[in-house]
């Protein structure tokens, strides 16, 4: 209970931070965009068109606009996360959703000689949940599993109906590098990543955690350094 309380307050803090940053960054971006528009207007004037540096001016304005759009995309995503909508209520067959998610990653996996095996409970009851949010969680975890293996290994996806708990249990196990305790303790923290700049944002599992929590479920992990990691998600059957 303690751990999940801490995680909830971290999520709330991240939501506030994200909204604050997005707001603070959006204002200067709007001004930069407006000035770029003004420069673009200047470039359409005849005497500038004849300038020997015209191409460079035009290129500079284009780059400013392109990168401002990129930055706006980031702030947009942060705001989307901060105000994440209430989950939808779809009727989901988890086995089918997992198969779909798996098919997105099949190319990348086979390229790295990673086999994604499945062991499904065919009698799994449907659950009422948000399919696209749940799929995002599966994608994040499978993506991380592929990264943890890097080359040559197996990912096993298992589903099971826990009748006593009234829950569907999904386990995603990889034969990757695993993680030490110090890393395992931090993986749900916002912006925590061990990946290179540009390869990881450290938001994947933070967002996954908050999605599963909103869906009324639980997510836990078990990891052994040098052996692999298993993520287990429990979702209530309504
Ligand atoms: P990112 O993937 O962008 O780094 P995540 O929040 O998805 O962000 O993951 C945070 C960190 O957790 C990763 O950088 C990695 O160190 C660790 N991690 C996540 N999944 C695994 C896994 N299956 N095996 C080993 N380490 C993992």
């Amino acid at each position: 209970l303690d751990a999940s309380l801490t995680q909830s307050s971290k999520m709330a803090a991240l939501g506030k931070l994200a909204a604050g940053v997005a707001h603070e960054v959006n204002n200067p971006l709007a001004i930069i965009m407006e000035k770029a528009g003004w420069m673009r207007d200047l470039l359409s004037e005849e005497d500038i068109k004849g300038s020997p540096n015209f191409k460079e001016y035009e290129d500079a304005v284009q780059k400013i606009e392109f990168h401002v759009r990129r930055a706006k995309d980031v702030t947009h995503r942060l705001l989307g996360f901060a105000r994440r909508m209430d989950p939808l209520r779809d009727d989901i067959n988890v086995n089918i959703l997992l198969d779909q998610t798996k098919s997105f990653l099949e190319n990348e996996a086979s390229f790295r000689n990673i086999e994604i095996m499945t062991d499904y409970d065919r009698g799994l009851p449907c659950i009422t949940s948000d399919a696209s949010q749940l799929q995002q969680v599966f994608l994040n975890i499978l993506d991380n599993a592929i990264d943890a293996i890097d080359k040559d290994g197996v990912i096993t996806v298992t589903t099971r109906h826990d009748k006593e708990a009234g829950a569907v249990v999904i386990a995603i196990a990889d034969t990757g590098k695993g993680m030490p305790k110090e890393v395992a303790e931090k993986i749900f923290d916002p912006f925590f990543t061990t990946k290179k700049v540009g390869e990881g944002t450290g938001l994947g599992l933070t967002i996954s955690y908050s999605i599963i929590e909103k869906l009324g479920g639980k997510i836990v992990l078990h990891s052994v350094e040098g052996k692999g990691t298993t993520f287990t998600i429990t979702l209530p059957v309504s």
Side-chain angles (χ1 to χ4, degrees):
L1 180 71
D2 258 352
S4 81
L5 269 180
T6 318
Q7 185 64 23
S8 298
S9 59
K10 272 181 199 157
M11 296 307 307
L14 179 68
K16 273 194 200 138
L17 177 73
V21 168
H23 181 74
E24 287 300 318
V25 174
N26 268 342
N27 289 337
L29 285 179
I31 296 171
I32 296 170
M33 206 55 164
E34 190 204 315
K35 296 301 171 199
W38 172 69
M39 280 155 74
R40 186 169 280 291
D41 287 346
L42 278 183
L43 285 178
S44 63
E45 285 173 15
E46 284 310 315
D47 47 337
I48 291 198
K49 273 191 179 151
S51 148
N53 295 326
F54 180 75
K55 231 19 266 90
E56 281 156 63
Y57 295 153
E58 202 181 31
D59 192 49
V61 172
Q62 203 181 332
K63 283 217 172 86
I64 292 170
E65 287 175 340
F66 175 79
H67 290 284
V68 168
R69 252 180 252 122
R70 259 185 61 191
K72 274 191 162 171
D73 183 53
V74 171
T75 59
H76 182 77
R77 268 187 229 208
L78 280 175
L79 278 175
F81 171 62
R83 312 183 184 127
R84 186 168 283 287
M85 285 182 309
D86 284 338
L88 294 173
R89 314 243 106 215
D90 306 312
D91 266 335
I92 303 171
N93 178 326
V94 170
N95 294 342
I96 294 176
L97 190 66
L98 281 166
D99 269 341
Q100 241 175 44
T101 316
K102 187 182 143 209
S103 71
F104 297 149
L105 298 166
E106 213 77 77
N107 270 341
E108 179 68 17
S110 75
F111 179 71
R112 303 206 208 179
N113 197 28
I114 295 170
E115 192 183 351
I116 307 179
M117 303 212 302
T118 55
D119 182 5
Y120 294 154
D121 179 346
R122 294 291 162 192
L124 212 61
C126 272
I127 60 167
T128 309
S129 204
D130 187 309
S132 83
Q133 292 195 8
L134 201 51
Q135 181 154 60
Q136 195 187 342
V137 174
F138 295 158
L139 259 179
N140 286 339
I141 293 177
L142 285 168
D143 246 340
N144 281 336
I146 291 176
D147 283 342
I149 294 174
D150 191 29
K151 273 194 210 87
D152 309 318
V154 181
I155 298 170
T156 311
V157 183
T158 315
T159 59
R160 177 168 71 79
H161 182 197
D162 183 341
K163 294 194 185 85
E164 254 166 61
V168 163
V169 183
I170 304 133
I172 301 179
D174 67 63
T175 58
K177 64 179 181 206
M179 50 191 126
K181 198 164 161 275
E182 310 86 75
V183 170
E185 278 167 356
K186 294 203 189 91
I187 59 166
F188 296 115
D189 287 1
F191 305 112
F192 175 80
T193 182
T194 57
K195 295 175 189 171
K196 276 187 252 159
V197 179
E199 281 175 20
T201 58
L203 283 175
L205 287 176
T206 313
I207 292 174
S208 299
Y209 191 99
S210 93
I211 289 176
I212 294 300
E213 194 183 44
K214 280 211 180 125
L215 296 176
K218 259 199 226 138
I219 177 168
V220 293
L221 78 144
H222 176 73
S223 187
V224 180
E225 226 183 326
K227 284 251 156 89
T229 303
T230 303
F231 280 89
T232 307
I233 297 170
T234 310
L235 290 165
V237 178
S238 40

